[in-house]
Amino acid sequence: GPLEEVSIPFYFGWFLLSSVQDKVRCTSMDFLKTLDTLEAFKKHMIDFTGKAEKEVDLEQYFEAKGTLHCTTKFCDYGKAEGAKEYALKPTVKDFYGSTFELSLSALFVTPRTVGARVSLTEEQLLLWPDDAEKEAASVVPAAASLPLGSRAHVTLGCAEGVEPVQTGLDLLEILALQQEGQQGELVEEMELGSLTYYGEGRWLLSLREPICAPACFSSFYT
Ligand code: A2P
């Protein structure tokens, strides 16, 4: 009967506690500010502007999108494939409302998005959908062969007209290049970590000290 129906949210995920949200936003802003001033970045500015000569202000280029979180399962109120199965998983029910410590291990920037890579622990992987990477294979073919959890990220900002779903795809693209053996071009040792360029406007900063971000596993309804 209707009372047994589960109400399926828009998405499930880990929601960063407010104290760490500010820290992550500041770190990301610092990174964008610094990246913008690097000669190596200026050399490839055309990836962002489409025009030589033109300058870009990265802090203005990206729009922040709501509260910082790492999506586990996008459910679209049950319309997304596998949504109901996910919502009914015992681990999802058991961990609902629990606090975890996410490790943000890298920041990445593309002409579309800026995000933080999340390196999941074995326990956190219990909440990760089996098909999250495979589902992206139509856009990033190599994604299906990447390890489970590769797509885990926090969207920090999107360029005008870009949807947040793009952030995970951008991350998968960079990880696929790494897996194919593309080292990228080590550009600079920054205070925050080492900066690598993967072509086509794709930048990855591996953090020297991963950011430990306490986050609550929960769900979002609009
Ligand atoms: P992300 O997890 O990269 O931030 P929106 O605001 O576009 O409706 O999306 C709500 C949230 O769900 C965002 O966090 C977004 O991306 C994520 N999301 C949207 N669509 C998908 C999808 N098809 N697959 C996975 N995550 C999605």
Side-chain angles (χ1 to χ4, degrees):
L3 288 175
E4 285 152 38
E5 291 288 313
V6 278
S7 76
I8 300 175
F10 194 39
Y11 61 87
F12 286 92
W14 289 284
F15 294 80
L16 273 61
L17 303 192
S18 59
S19 52
V20 80
Q21 294 217 16
D22 294 340
K23 181 188 154 85
V24 173
R25 282 210 180 84
C26 283
T27 307
S28 150
M29 277 302 178
D30 276 355
F31 171 49
L32 292 181
K33 210 183 278 181
T34 310
L35 184 61
D36 225 353
T37 64
L38 298 179
E39 279 313 313
F41 180 78
K42 290 185 181 161
K43 205 171 85 187
H44 298 290
M45 200 98 94
I46 196 164
D47 298 336
F48 285 79
T49 59
K51 279 194 205 111
E53 316 291 313
K54 213 174 150 208
E55 299 252 321
V56 61
D57 179 351
L58 285 180
E59 284 174 279
Q60 306 282 317
Y61 185 87
F62 296 107
E63 284 169 53
K65 299 261 176 174
T67 178
L68 298 184
H69 65 273
C70 173
T71 304
T72 53
K73 177 69 185 173
F74 178 71
C75 294
D76 200 9
Y77 306 111
K79 281 182 267 168
E81 207 181 307
K84 189 165 183 195
E85 292 74 9
Y86 183 86
L88 289 170
K89 272 167 99 125
T91 43
V92 169
K93 291 185 172 181
D94 291 347
F95 283 124
Y96 197 82
S98 308
T99 303
F100 291 77
E101 286 190 347
L102 296 184
S103 173
L104 312 190
S105 54
L107 300 178
F108 56 94
V109 176
T110 76
R112 299 164 296 278
T113 64
V114 53
R117 180 180 189 192
V118 179
S119 296
L120 298 175
T121 63
E122 289 294 319
E123 185 185 52
Q124 291 161 2
L125 280 170
L126 298 174
L127 292 167
W128 193 251
D130 298 329
D131 59 352
E133 285 74 26
K134 289 187 198 89
E135 200 198 77
S138 60
V139 196
V140 185
S145 61
L146 287 170
L148 203 67
S150 296
R151 192 176 176 173
H153 69 280
V154 175
T155 297
L156 299 170
C158 296
E160 207 184 321
V162 174
E163 296 295 328
V165 64
Q166 185 62 45
T167 318
L169 304 175
D170 284 354
L171 174 60
L172 287 172
E173 219 179 85
I174 293 172
L175 298 180
L177 290 172
Q178 286 180 344
Q179 183 175 254
E180 284 163 19
Q182 283 206 42
Q183 307 286 301
E185 174 193 337
L186 178 64
V187 169
E188 189 138 331
E189 289 298 336
M190 297 171 62
E191 212 174 293
L192 285 167
S194 35
L195 178 68
T196 309
Y197 180 61
Y198 288 93
E200 296 176 26
R202 296 168 295 200
W203 299 85
L204 181 80
L205 176 74
S206 295
L207 294 174
R208 208 175 301 287
E209 304 252 355
I211 300 171
C212 173
C216 179
F217 179 68
S218 180
S219 62
F220 183 85
Y221 298 77
T222 31

